[in-house]
């Protein structure tokens, strides 16, 4: 089994800029074109690549007369970098949804006597907020108040 401390130390050496470099070189087809796309000098880009390869402990590119080409380790790294890029994009979208009130979680406690009209109200609310994760809790009055006090429910519905 690998040491977690070792893995964490390695991940702290890798930067998003280095990962971006891997993608940029692959997309641009050459180190010079990638450096231009990233507004960097080729020397600075080369230093980034070297730092990334050192942090990963493998060579990611084959150096050919035609420039850098991903080797098998580079192909594997690129697949993971693309996954990281997707994950970061999804995280930013989720944060935007939370910021704008379009997503997140909402726990609604309903007194059992309100269970007949509450579902229609909740359904209309959820239709307006499709990315919202809803938790629906039904109980007696004391249980509903307890859920509010313990912060297990965000909102409560009750009727008389």
């Amino acid at each position: 089994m690998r040491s977690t401390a070792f893995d964490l130390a390695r991940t702290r050496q890798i930067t998003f800029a280095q990962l971006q470099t891997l993608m940029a070189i692959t997309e641009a087809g050459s180190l010079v074109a990638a450096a231009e796309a990233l507004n960097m000098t080729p020397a600075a880009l080369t230093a980034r690549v070297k730092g990334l390869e050192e942090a990963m402990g493998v060579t990611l590119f084959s150096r050919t007369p035609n420039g850098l080409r991903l080797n098998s380790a580079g192909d594997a790294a690129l697949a993971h970098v693309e996954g990281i890029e997707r994950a970061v994009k999804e995280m930013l979208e989720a944060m935007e949804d939370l910021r704008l009130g379009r997503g997140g979680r909402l726990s609604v406690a309903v007194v059992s006597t309100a269970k007949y009209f509450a579902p229609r109200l909740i359904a209309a609310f959820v239709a307006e907020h499709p990315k919202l994760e809803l938790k629906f809790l039904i109980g007696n009055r004391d249980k509903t108040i307890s859920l509010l006090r313990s912060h297990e429910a965000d909102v409560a519905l009750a009727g008389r």
Side-chain angles (χ1 to χ4, degrees), residues 2-130:
R2 288 186 283 169
S3 167
T4 303
F6 176 76
D7 291 342
L8 288 176
R10 258 198 183 168
T11 59
R12 289 187 181 115
Q13 295 172 8
I14 298 169
T15 66
F16 280 112
Q18 289 172 323
L19 300 178
Q20 179 187 34
T21 300
L22 181 67
M23 292 184 73
I25 293 170
T26 303
E27 290 169 3
S30 76
L31 189 126
V32 173
E36 189 175 307
L38 295 173
N39 295 320
M40 300 176 66
T41 65
L45 198 64
T46 300
R48 266 197 200 169
V49 170
K50 185 177 179 189
L52 181 60
E53 289 178 332
E54 286 175 2
M56 290 189 174
V58 296
T59 302
L60 301 170
F61 294 92
S62 297
R63 277 107 177 131
T64 70
N66 297 329
L68 297 177
R69 299 287 175 252
L70 285 177
N71 59 24
S72 60
D75 284 334
L78 182 62
H80 289 286
V81 169
E82 290 168 344
I84 291 166
E85 183 181 47
R86 276 191 305 278
V88 169
K89 183 181 177 189
E90 289 171 6
M91 177 190 67
L92 292 173
E93 288 172 357
M95 296 303 105
E96 182 74 357
D97 287 343
L98 285 168
R99 188 179 70 76
L100 297 174
R102 295 186 305 224
R105 289 180 288 194
L106 180 66
S107 295
V108 179
V110 178
V111 174
S112 54
T113 57
K115 68 183 177 189
Y116 300 106
F117 72 86
R120 283 179 289 196
L121 292 173
I122 300 296
F125 181 79
V126 170
E128 293 285 322
H129 302 85

